[in-house]
C-alpha cells in the first residue's frame, strides 16, 4: 500500500526522534533492496549483512492482521517478533492467528499506553504544516 509520508520524510522524522540517543541509528534499505516488503529487507540483512539476531517490531494493532502480510511465516521464522502494546488492541492481538501460530514465541513489550493512533498523528501533523 501507499505510505502516508515519503521515504525522505519518514527518515527525517525518525532522525529527529532519536537525535539525542547515540545508541540508535536510523538506516533505510528500501533503495538498496528495491522493495518496501519486510521479508525482502530481512533477507537482505541476513544474506548480505550477515545479521543473526533481528527483532521485528510491530504494534499490537498490526499483530491482529499480521497473518495477511506477504511471507509472514518466513518473517516470524527469521526474526524475533516483538510487539508493543497499543491501547485497545492487546487482547485481540494475543488471540490473533499469528499469536496462536507462535504460541509463546512472541516478545510482548509492556510499554506505557500509546493512546494516539497513527491517523491522529498524521492529521495533527497536517495541521502543523
Amino acid at each position: 500500500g501507499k505510505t502516508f509520508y515519503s521515504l525522505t520524510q519518514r527518515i527525517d522524522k525518525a532522525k529527529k526522534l532519536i537525535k539525542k540517543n547515540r545508541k540508535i541509528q536510523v538506516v533505510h534499505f528500501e533503495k538498496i533492496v528495491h522493495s518496501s516488503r519486510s521479508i525482502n529487507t530481512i533477507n537482505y540483512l541476513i544474506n548480505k549483512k550477515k545479521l543473526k539476531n533481528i527483532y521485528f517490531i510491530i504494534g499490537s494493532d498490526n499483530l491482529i492482521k499480521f497473518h495477511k502480510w506477504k511471507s509472514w511465516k518466513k518473517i516470524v521464522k527469521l526474526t524475533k517478533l516483538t510487539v508493543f502494546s497499543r491501547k485497545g488492541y492487546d487482547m485481540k492481538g494475543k488471540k490473533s492467528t499469528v499469536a496462536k501460530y507462535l504460541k509463546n514465541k512472541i516478545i510482548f513489550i509492556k510499554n506505557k499506553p500509546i493512546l494516539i493512533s497513527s491517523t491522529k498523528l498524521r492529521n495533527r501533523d497536517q495541521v502543523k504544516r
Side-chain angles (χ1 to χ4, degrees):
K2 185 168 176 1
T3 58
F4 186 83
Y5 292 113
S6 71
L7 177 60
T8 305
Q9 288 172 313
R10 285 182 280 150
I11 292 167
D12 288 345
K13 287 180 179 298
K15 284 181 178 178
K16 284 178 186 171
L17 282 172
I18 59 101
K19 67 182 173 187
K20 292 179 183 173
N21 190 331
R22 294 176 188 225
K23 293 181 182 179
I24 299 174
Q25 181 182 4
V26 176
V27 181
H28 65 91
F29 295 98
E30 287 182 17
K31 288 182 181 176
I32 298 166
V33 178
H34 303 291
S35 172
S36 61
R37 297 239 183 246
S38 299
I39 189 60
N40 295 338
T41 301
I42 291 164
N43 284 329
Y44 172 81
L45 293 171
I46 291 169
N47 298 324
K48 299 284 192 227
K49 295 294 183 181
K50 307 299 182 207
L51 294 182
K52 290 184 172 73
N53 293 316
I54 299 172
Y55 291 81
F56 192 79
I57 303 169
I58 61 173
S60 59
D61 53 334
N62 278 313
L63 181 58
I64 296 165
K65 294 185 180 178
F66 190 65
H67 64 282
K68 294 182 179 180
W69 289 33
K70 180 168 178 56
S71 306
W72 72 269
K73 285 184 180 178
K74 285 184 185 176
I75 292 171
V76 299
K77 183 179 179 185
L78 296 171
T79 68
K80 292 176 178 71
L81 185 61
T82 306
V83 179
F84 271 82
S85 174
R86 290 291 310 268
K87 187 168 176 66
Y89 295 98
D90 293 355
M91 290 307 295
K92 283 183 185 175
K94 288 179 180 177
K95 293 178 183 176
S96 69
T97 302
V98 178
K100 289 175 187 169
Y101 176 82
L102 287 176
K103 297 186 172 90
N104 295 325
K105 295 180 183 162
I106 298 177
I107 300 167
F108 285 97
I109 304 295
K110 293 180 179 159
N111 52 286
K112 290 181 181 176
I114 301 169
L115 301 173
I116 190 163
S117 71
S118 57
T119 303
K120 285 184 182 176
L121 277 173
R122 288 191 290 266
N123 290 340
R124 187 178 72 184
D125 196 48
Q126 287 281 316
V127 174
K128 289 182 180 179
R129 289 183 191 174

